[in-house]
Amino acid sequence: MFKSINILAIETSCDDTSIAVLKNKKILSNLISTQEIHLDYGGVVPELAAREHIKGIIGLIEKALEEAQTTMEEIDFLAVTKEPGLVGSLLVGNNTAETLGRIFKKPVIKINHLIGHVYANFENTEPKFPFISLLVSGGHSQIIEFTNYFESKIIHETEDDAIGECYDKVAKMLNLGYPGGPIIDKLAQKAENKVKYPMPKINLEKNFSFSGLKTHVANIINQANMKNEKIKVNDLLNNFQQAAIEQLLTKLSQSIENKQYKQILICGGVSANSYLREQITLRYSMHNIIMPKISLTTDNAAMIGLAAYYKIVKETNATN
Ligand code: KG4
Ligand code: ZN
């Protein structure tokens, strides 16, 4: 039985090293070190990502503990992202957690990265079952139903690219920088809507699919280049974004039809998108909608700590 639970959480599934310290669900620190090295390569290089994690992880743990005014001795549990992600990157996080666990005699809780994204929503609210979650990130586009803390079923997922990947690739076509999602989000808001770029129709029968949309945007850009025509970039991005988000909302609406979900959540990097947030708020105002705060949408260790907190409380019956 624990009076309160202090958790040190580690997230190294891709190219960000993140360390968080939580006291129960209260986030005392949540540091993210973004690896700039990949900018020169136009995408994440797995081998380099693992090496950068190794270089930075211990220093970041020290900083996160210091910011939380805590020491390793005061930590009760370590939490770490188990999967999915880049193998080498995950290995660095898991080895670090295991080693610290052995040295300081603390249990290590292994968390699925996607579950972490979902639990980013439960910092200030408790889960109520059944709930449904739209998980949209650089690697995943899924609608998941949760009937219990860690019992879930995927209702929709992508047949090809993830939506975040699609945003990133469209931004790359236009040389806008990486990651493309936040850049497109901002530029789409500046659209003058002088030119309407038609987008492909949504296939109501199928799962998510974003590669056709990406190719469609590539064709628009190529054709304009061939004809030496100037593209209204912000207008194009606005039309692209509306089509991409509409797909999410159409499938989400289909999924909640005739169902009694107690909560509707969004999570993952793309859940930071302002148009998605606006439309969710507008269209599902009759429902109990939960969105994580922006700092918890993209990859971070606090979400892993939150999922671990619920796992510890549910599996060991620890109380606050
Ligand atoms: O969850 P995340 O940090 O990493 C994965 O688990 O994949 O998500 C990263 C993705 C990137 O593709 C990024 O472009 C996208 O989230 N993203 C956004 C926004 N902020 C981040 N996409 C659209 N609008 C945003 N505001
Ligand atoms: Zn993620």
Side-chain angles (χ1 to χ4, degrees):
M1 193 78 85
F2 301 88
K3 232 169 94 246
S4 67
I5 305 169
N6 292 329
I7 303 170
L8 178 89
I10 301 175
E11 151 62 39
T12 60
S13 65
C14 193
D15 58 334
D16 290 334
T17 316
S18 182
I19 308 293
V21 176
L22 289 84
K23 190 176 204 69
N24 295 332
K25 291 194 292 168
K26 192 172 168 24
I27 300 166
L28 303 180
S29 61
N30 186 23
L31 304 183
I32 301 170
S33 166
T34 303
Q35 301 178 356
E36 309 264 307
I37 196 164
H38 306 284
L39 290 175
D40 297 340
Y41 299 87
V44 176
V45 184
E47 176 67 25
L48 291 180
R51 284 191 208 177
E52 291 297 297
H53 285 307
I54 292 173
K55 278 192 217 158
I57 195 162
I58 297 297
L60 204 64
I61 290 173
E62 284 170 350
K63 267 196 203 156
L65 286 168
E66 193 183 314
E67 196 177 304
Q69 299 187 338
T70 312
T71 60
M72 265 316 291
E73 286 73 19
E74 289 174 297
I75 295 293
D76 301 303
F77 290 91
L78 290 146
V80 63
T81 305
K82 184 180 173 213
E83 59 189 0
L86 301 175
V87 177
S89 294
L90 288 167
L91 209 57
V92 178
N94 279 266
N95 274 349
T96 307
E98 298 281 1
T99 308
L100 289 176
R102 290 271 174 106
I103 296 172
F104 293 95
K105 301 197 170 34
K106 314 286 179 189
V108 179
I109 313 289
K110 305 255 174 159
I111 298 292
N112 177 293
H113 180 79
L114 307 182
I115 298 281
H117 273 303
V118 172
Y119 275 81
N121 280 284
F122 298 123
E123 183 191 4
N124 301 312
T125 320
E126 291 287 309
K128 291 197 180 84
F129 304 99
F131 69 75
I132 192 163
S133 176
L134 173 68
L135 190 160
V136 275
S137 71
H140 294 84
S141 309
Q142 298 181 336
I143 296 178
I144 318 167
E145 178 187 81
F146 279 75
T147 45
N148 209 326
Y149 282 90
F150 298 100
E151 275 165 38
S152 62
K153 183 173 104 190
I154 297 171
I155 298 178
H156 276 295
E157 63 185 327
T158 182
E159 307 217 337
D160 37 61
D161 293 357
I163 183 169
E165 188 184 353
C166 183
Y167 264 89
D168 295 338
K169 286 184 178 159
V170 166
K172 196 173 176 187
M173 289 172 204
L174 293 160
N175 296 319
L176 297 174
Y178 180 85
I183 302 168
I184 293 180
D185 188 354
K186 280 209 186 83
L187 294 178
Q189 289 175 45
K190 294 186 187 156
E192 294 172 317
N193 298 317
K194 286 198 172 143
V195 183
K196 175 145 179 64
Y197 295 94
M199 293 290 148
K201 278 218 173 78
I202 297 166
N203 188 334
L204 295 172
E205 308 302 320
K206 280 192 148 184
N207 273 331
F208 293 127
S209 165
F210 294 99
S211 81
L213 182 59
K214 173 190 70 186
T215 311
H216 182 83
V217 175
N219 288 341
I220 292 174
I221 298 167
N222 290 340
Q223 278 169 21
N225 286 345
M226 278 187 322
K227 291 185 203 157
N228 243 339
E229 281 173 8
K230 239 186 148 17
I231 293 172
K232 287 259 175 213
V233 172
N234 297 350
D235 289 2
L236 173 61
L237 293 177
N238 193 29
N239 291 149
F240 156 73
Q241 171 160 279
Q242 283 174 351
I245 301 293
E246 197 55 47
Q247 216 188 113
L248 301 181
L249 298 171
T250 303
K251 302 284 179 220
L252 185 59
S253 295
Q254 275 181 350
S255 307
I256 62 172
E257 218 173 59
N258 303 322
K259 295 274 174 63
Q260 300 288 322
Y261 291 115
K262 298 213 173 89
Q263 293 164 327
I264 300 177
L265 337 172
I266 59 171
C267 60
V270 182
S271 74
N273 186 267
S274 50
Y275 180 69
L276 173 63
R277 286 180 169 243
E278 174 201 289
Q279 290 301 313
I280 293 255
T281 313
L282 271 176
R283 296 188 201 191
Y284 305 113
S285 59
M286 301 295 285
H287 297 266
N288 187 6
I289 309 160
I290 309 178
M291 305 186 197
K293 61 183 181 205
I294 300 288
S295 60
L296 297 187
T297 55
T298 45
D299 291 350
N300 69 90
M303 70 187 198
I304 302 301
L306 284 167
Y309 168 81
Y310 281 97
K311 208 160 183 207
I312 295 159
V313 170
K314 291 298 137 197
E315 287 182 1
T316 67
N317 280 327
T319 52
N320 323 349

PDB file of all heavy atoms in Angstrom, residues 156 201-207 250-251 254:
ATOM      1  N   HIS A 156     -11.570   1.027 -36.261  1.00  0.00           N
ATOM      2  CA  HIS A 156     -11.101   1.476 -37.582  1.00  0.00           C
ATOM      3  C   HIS A 156      -9.612   1.684 -37.496  1.00  0.00           C
ATOM      4  O   HIS A 156      -9.104   2.169 -36.483  1.00  0.00           O
ATOM      5  CB  HIS A 156     -11.705   2.848 -37.934  1.00  0.00           C
ATOM      6  CG  HIS A 156     -13.058   2.757 -38.533  1.00  0.00           C
ATOM      7  ND1 HIS A 156     -13.292   2.171 -39.754  1.00  0.00           N
ATOM      8  CD2 HIS A 156     -14.251   3.214 -38.099  1.00  0.00           C
ATOM      9  CE1 HIS A 156     -14.586   2.260 -40.016  1.00  0.00           C
ATOM     10  NE2 HIS A 156     -15.195   2.883 -39.022  1.00  0.00           N
ATOM     11  N   LYS A 201     -13.168  11.838 -52.858  1.00  0.00           N
ATOM     12  CA  LYS A 201     -14.328  11.519 -51.990  1.00  0.00           C
ATOM     13  C   LYS A 201     -13.935  10.494 -50.931  1.00  0.00           C
ATOM     14  O   LYS A 201     -13.054   9.670 -51.147  1.00  0.00           O
ATOM     15  CB  LYS A 201     -15.445  10.912 -52.856  1.00  0.00           C
ATOM     16  CG  LYS A 201     -16.296  11.913 -53.581  1.00  0.00           C
ATOM     17  CD  LYS A 201     -17.768  11.424 -53.575  1.00  0.00           C
ATOM     18  CE  LYS A 201     -18.688  12.471 -54.145  1.00  0.00           C
ATOM     19  NZ  LYS A 201     -18.634  12.500 -55.625  1.00  0.00           N
ATOM     20  N   ILE A 202     -14.632  10.548 -49.796  1.00  0.00           N
ATOM     21  CA  ILE A 202     -14.363   9.584 -48.724  1.00  0.00           C
ATOM     22  C   ILE A 202     -15.087   8.275 -49.035  1.00  0.00           C
ATOM     23  O   ILE A 202     -16.268   8.295 -49.402  1.00  0.00           O
ATOM     24  CB  ILE A 202     -14.860  10.136 -47.368  1.00  0.00           C
ATOM     25  CG1 ILE A 202     -14.082  11.407 -47.020  1.00  0.00           C
ATOM     26  CG2 ILE A 202     -14.744   9.092 -46.262  1.00  0.00           C
ATOM     27  CD1 ILE A 202     -14.686  12.213 -45.897  1.00  0.00           C
ATOM     28  N   ASN A 203     -14.397   7.153 -48.898  1.00  0.00           N
ATOM     29  CA  ASN A 203     -15.014   5.850 -49.092  1.00  0.00           C
ATOM     30  C   ASN A 203     -15.657   5.412 -47.778  1.00  0.00           C
ATOM     31  O   ASN A 203     -14.976   5.066 -46.814  1.00  0.00           O
ATOM     32  CB  ASN A 203     -13.963   4.837 -49.545  1.00  0.00           C
ATOM     33  CG  ASN A 203     -14.600   3.516 -49.942  1.00  0.00           C
ATOM     34  OD1 ASN A 203     -15.681   3.177 -49.458  1.00  0.00           O
ATOM     35  ND2 ASN A 203     -13.935   2.785 -50.822  1.00  0.00           N
ATOM     36  N   LEU A 204     -16.990   5.458 -47.750  1.00  0.00           N
ATOM     37  CA  LEU A 204     -17.712   5.185 -46.500  1.00  0.00           C
ATOM     38  C   LEU A 204     -17.614   3.726 -46.060  1.00  0.00           C
ATOM     39  O   LEU A 204     -17.807   3.404 -44.899  1.00  0.00           O
ATOM     40  CB  LEU A 204     -19.175   5.579 -46.655  1.00  0.00           C
ATOM     41  CG  LEU A 204     -19.437   7.087 -46.865  1.00  0.00           C
ATOM     42  CD1 LEU A 204     -20.890   7.335 -47.188  1.00  0.00           C
ATOM     43  CD2 LEU A 204     -19.012   7.886 -45.648  1.00  0.00           C
ATOM     44  N   GLU A 205     -17.342   2.860 -47.028  1.00  0.00           N
ATOM     45  CA  GLU A 205     -17.327   1.426 -46.726  1.00  0.00           C
ATOM     46  C   GLU A 205     -16.003   0.969 -46.119  1.00  0.00           C
ATOM     47  O   GLU A 205     -15.926  -0.075 -45.506  1.00  0.00           O
ATOM     48  CB  GLU A 205     -17.546   0.600 -48.015  1.00  0.00           C
ATOM     49  CG  GLU A 205     -18.751   0.999 -48.837  1.00  0.00           C
ATOM     50  CD  GLU A 205     -20.034   0.907 -48.036  1.00  0.00           C
ATOM     51  OE1 GLU A 205     -20.154  -0.066 -47.271  1.00  0.00           O
ATOM     52  OE2 GLU A 205     -20.885   1.808 -48.148  1.00  0.00           O
ATOM     53  N   LYS A 206     -14.952   1.766 -46.348  1.00  0.00           N
ATOM     54  CA  LYS A 206     -13.608   1.272 -46.008  1.00  0.00           C
ATOM     55  C   LYS A 206     -13.066   1.871 -44.728  1.00  0.00           C
ATOM     56  O   LYS A 206     -13.639   2.788 -44.164  1.00  0.00           O
ATOM     57  CB  LYS A 206     -12.667   1.627 -47.148  1.00  0.00           C
ATOM     58  CG  LYS A 206     -12.756   0.681 -48.322  1.00  0.00           C
ATOM     59  CD  LYS A 206     -11.606   0.943 -49.243  1.00  0.00           C
ATOM     60  CE  LYS A 206     -11.135  -0.296 -49.955  1.00  0.00           C
ATOM     61  NZ  LYS A 206      -9.966  -0.021 -50.764  1.00  0.00           N
ATOM     62  N   ASN A 207     -11.912   1.365 -44.307  1.00  0.00           N
ATOM     63  CA  ASN A 207     -11.170   1.948 -43.199  1.00  0.00           C
ATOM     64  C   ASN A 207     -10.590   3.294 -43.613  1.00  0.00           C
ATOM     65  O   ASN A 207     -10.778   3.736 -44.736  1.00  0.00           O
ATOM     66  CB  ASN A 207     -10.010   1.013 -42.827  1.00  0.00           C
ATOM     67  CG  ASN A 207     -10.435  -0.048 -41.836  1.00  0.00           C
ATOM     68  OD1 ASN A 207     -11.346   0.166 -41.035  1.00  0.00           O
ATOM     69  ND2 ASN A 207      -9.785  -1.187 -41.883  1.00  0.00           N
ATOM     70  N   THR A 250     -15.945  11.496 -40.187  1.00  0.00           N
ATOM     71  CA  THR A 250     -16.964  10.618 -40.783  1.00  0.00           C
ATOM     72  C   THR A 250     -16.916   9.238 -40.111  1.00  0.00           C
ATOM     73  O   THR A 250     -17.949   8.686 -39.717  1.00  0.00           O
ATOM     74  CB  THR A 250     -16.712  10.469 -42.302  1.00  0.00           C
ATOM     75  OG1 THR A 250     -16.710  11.762 -42.872  1.00  0.00           O
ATOM     76  CG2 THR A 250     -17.763   9.610 -42.974  1.00  0.00           C
ATOM     77  N   LYS A 251     -15.707   8.713 -39.974  1.00  0.00           N
ATOM     78  CA  LYS A 251     -15.585   7.368 -39.368  1.00  0.00           C
ATOM     79  C   LYS A 251     -15.917   7.406 -37.866  1.00  0.00           C
ATOM     80  O   LYS A 251     -16.469   6.459 -37.332  1.00  0.00           O
ATOM     81  CB  LYS A 251     -14.161   6.810 -39.541  1.00  0.00           C
ATOM     82  CG  LYS A 251     -13.714   6.699 -40.972  1.00  0.00           C
ATOM     83  CD  LYS A 251     -14.347   5.514 -41.686  1.00  0.00           C
ATOM     84  CE  LYS A 251     -13.894   5.465 -43.132  1.00  0.00           C
ATOM     85  NZ  LYS A 251     -14.907   5.104 -44.096  1.00  0.00           N
ATOM     86  N   GLN A 254     -19.647   7.415 -37.641  1.00  0.00           N
ATOM     87  CA  GLN A 254     -20.142   6.050 -37.921  1.00  0.00           C
ATOM     88  C   GLN A 254     -19.958   5.159 -36.686  1.00  0.00           C
ATOM     89  O   GLN A 254     -20.828   4.368 -36.342  1.00  0.00           O
ATOM     90  CB  GLN A 254     -19.315   5.409 -39.049  1.00  0.00           C
ATOM     91  CG  GLN A 254     -19.779   5.748 -40.443  1.00  0.00           C
ATOM     92  CD  GLN A 254     -18.894   5.046 -41.505  1.00  0.00           C
ATOM     93  OE1 GLN A 254     -17.854   4.464 -41.208  1.00  0.00           O
ATOM     94  NE2 GLN A 254     -19.323   5.126 -42.755  1.00  0.00           N
TER      95      GLN A 254
END
